[in-house]
Amino acid sequence: MTGQHRIVVLGAGYAGLAAARRLASTAQDARITVVDGRAGYVERVRLHQQAVG
């Protein structure tokens, strides 16, 4: 395949953003798009943080 690769990451949670960042740093000939149902990033409390207050 010639030309630039196009990668779409569905979901901008912890795993989706981590995948997109890693791809951005390693895939030099790629265009990466992140698609999520929300307009902004929602930082969710992790279960271990909620358990200790």
Side-chain angles (χ1 to χ4, degrees), residues 2 10 13 16 19-20 31 33 36 41 46:
T2 61
L10 299 177
R31 187 169 132 194
T33 303
D36 192 62
Y41 181 69
R46 296 179 181 151

Side-chain angles (χ1 to χ4, degrees):
M1 181 175 171
T2 61
Q4 187 179 42
H5 294 281
R6 297 184 345 187
I7 301 169
V8 176
V9 177
L10 299 177
Y14 289 113
L17 288 179
R21 288 190 59 158
R22 178 166 230 165
L23 284 167
S25 67
T26 60
Q28 297 186 7
D29 191 25
R31 187 169 132 194
I32 301 160
T33 303
V34 178
V35 178
D36 192 62
R38 299 177 189 256
Y41 181 69
V42 177
E43 189 169 341
R44 294 171 182 87
V45 176
R46 296 179 181 151
L47 291 177
H48 69 278
Q49 291 174 326
Q50 187 175 10
V52 296

